[in-house]
Amino acid sequence: MFVGVNLLFVYFSPSLVPNLPEDFIRGISPCYRTLYHSNLSGVNEQTRFELVYGDSFSEGVGDEFLNGDADYGIFRKLDYGSNRVAIIFARSGYGSHGTAVEGERCGRLLRKFTALDFDSNRVDSVSLVFYEGNDLDDHLAEMNRQSSSFRYTRKFLLPFADYAYLKFREWLAADKEQGYASHSNLVAAHPTEALPDFPTANNGVAIPLYPQAAALELTDAELAASLSVLRESMATLKNRHPESELQFLYLPSIASAYEFSGPLPVQSYRGKPFHLGTGAENERRSLHIRAAAQGYAQELGWRFCDTTQAILDYSRQGLAVHGPRDWKHFNKAGYSIVAQRYSECFSPAAL
């Protein structure tokens, strides 16, 4: 009986998932987030698809989502018309390798076990959204990460069991992170270290945390290895979708979305309270990463779209493109600029 209820949910999930609480969706297989972020209820045999790969930015995480806006993020702002939809294989915390694996596994399960009429032959475009802030650090972790396809399938087919197990673990742990650490709390947690103030951009925007930057912590060798993972992922997606239009969308890190002079303390990914760089170092690293990504795009046949300059043009006016609630993702202004650049680069009919 219990297994039957789970399988019924799986089959009808394209209609059920968009109406369920976010807490439940986050507690079951990540594949169901594909059904949560796009309205796929009207999909039929004539529907054409755009597949979206990336991280939390592609999912639309940020103030708009927190505030319940219907058009949160990038892809809900685009007008696909009546016979085309975006299928979001992007996931929070995933790098380009992780999202490519996710798309292969999740797409197979959606086609095989759900009512969604998803035919990979009707995919006319593929978008890879690359975020400069932590994707490169995620690549290094994903290089050595092994995941079980069998376990992934089991989680997908038994969502209620998965959710109950998660809640039991949360009850045992009873320790959840709440928001961002204030500067005073960080100082209290590291009494022997001199912690610099959170940075303020040249335009006067005060950043209430150490911002994610253009992978300043990575050595040149680590950066090269991480960029090679990006190229491999782009090649994998090209081989998987040889007849589709390939679209690469570049998003700047928080530190690259504003201009900074002098010392720039940024987020550390190695257990430290911060990593100290400079505004000039971040700009140089950002330009290097963008040039590498654009080179891969040209080599592999991807159309390349960089949103950095459009974001900077806006923020130079003293306006924030993040926050005020979520300072790790774009706000409505930031996502609107990105969606407009996407439209200019890839889809003249969008917006």
Side-chain angles (χ1 to χ4, degrees):
M1 177 67 176
F2 179 72
V3 172
V5 170
N6 276 267
L7 294 180
L8 280 173
F9 174 87
V10 171
Y11 183 78
F12 292 107
S13 57
S15 299
L16 297 174
V17 165
N19 303 306
L20 295 175
E22 184 200 1
D23 174 72
F24 179 73
I25 302 305
R26 288 193 172 277
I28 59 179
S29 164
C31 185
Y32 289 107
R33 282 152 63 176
T34 290
L35 304 175
Y36 189 74
H37 291 298
S38 292
N39 182 4
L40 304 177
S41 59
V43 168
N44 55 48
E45 61 184 12
Q46 279 78 45
T47 304
R48 309 296 295 181
F49 302 109
E50 174 174 353
L51 306 188
V52 177
Y53 296 87
D55 67 355
S56 54
F57 282 85
S58 306
E59 290 190 290
V61 176
D63 274 27
E64 291 179 299
F65 183 78
L66 294 173
N67 295 335
D69 291 359
D71 65 342
Y72 63 88
I74 304 168
F75 296 95
R76 283 178 169 242
K77 290 179 172 58
L78 304 176
D79 181 9
Y80 283 99
S82 59
N83 64 342
R84 192 165 180 266
V85 297
I87 295 189
I88 311 293
F89 289 134
R91 303 289 183 257
S92 296
Y94 284 32
S96 61
H97 173 74
T99 188
V101 172
E102 175 73 5
E104 190 279 326
R105 290 180 176 178
C106 181
R108 172 175 50 83
L109 294 174
L110 291 176
R111 285 191 295 269
K112 186 173 182 179
F113 293 108
T114 77
L116 180 65
D117 186 6
F118 172 40
D119 184 348
S120 58
N121 292 324
R122 303 203 306 271
V123 175
D124 56 22
S125 63
V126 174
S127 289
L128 176 58
V129 182
F130 174 81
Y131 171 58
E132 179 189 270
N134 61 353
D135 280 9
L136 291 166
D137 291 87
D138 291 337
H139 289 171
L140 296 181
E142 290 174 348
M143 287 172 64
N144 300 312
R145 184 180 298 159
Q146 300 292 327
S147 59
S148 165
S149 180
F150 172 80
R151 183 172 180 269
Y152 187 94
T153 301
R154 178 191 61 76
K155 287 169 65 69
F156 181 80
L157 295 177
L158 297 173
F160 293 113
D162 204 36
Y163 183 73
Y165 177 64
L166 172 70
K167 288 301 171 182
F168 178 70
R169 288 181 59 188
E170 286 183 355
W171 176 74
L172 289 178
D175 220 5
K176 288 187 178 181
E177 181 182 354
Q178 298 290 336
Y180 306 131
S182 68
H183 189 265
S184 59
N185 287 341
L186 281 174
V187 170
H190 302 273
T192 62
E193 298 185 55
L195 301 188
D197 292 336
F198 293 147
T200 297
N202 294 350
N203 60 17
V205 173
I207 314 295
L209 75 175
Y210 294 129
Q212 295 175 349
L216 291 182
E217 253 184 327
L218 298 185
T219 65
D220 289 345
E222 290 171 330
L223 179 62
S226 181
L227 286 170
S228 72
V229 174
L230 173 62
R231 186 197 174 283
E232 290 170 10
S233 300
M234 295 169 69
T236 295
L237 294 176
K238 175 183 173 68
N239 292 335
R240 188 182 300 169
H241 307 287
E243 303 301 322
S244 302
E245 190 76 31
L246 303 174
Q247 304 172 163
F248 188 101
L249 188 67
Y250 190 102
L251 306 183
S253 63
I254 302 171
S256 299
Y258 307 89
E259 292 178 326
F260 297 91
S261 299
L264 177 62
V266 299
Q267 179 177 332
S268 169
Y269 297 97
R270 300 184 173 176
K272 299 185 294 184
F274 71 96
H275 173 79
L276 186 60
T278 68
E281 288 173 349
N282 185 75
E283 183 178 5
R284 285 194 296 270
R285 179 59 64 92
S286 176
L287 288 169
H288 175 76
I289 297 169
R290 278 183 268 164
Q294 186 170 18
Y296 299 152
Q298 292 172 344
E299 173 193 355
L300 297 170
W302 288 73
R303 298 168 68 188
F304 182 83
C305 186
D306 183 7
T307 66
T308 306
Q309 190 59 52
I311 290 290
L312 280 170
D313 288 344
Y314 183 85
S315 70
R316 283 183 181 129
Q317 304 172 59
L319 302 171
V321 289
H322 306 86
R325 296 177 65 184
D326 184 341
W327 276 90
K328 292 190 175 184
H329 299 90
F330 288 129
N331 56 22
K332 181 178 286 291
Y335 276 122
S336 296
I337 294 167
V338 170
Q340 182 63 46
R341 281 293 295 144
Y342 173 100
S343 177
E344 293 167 355
C345 291
F346 304 136
S347 179
L351 294 182

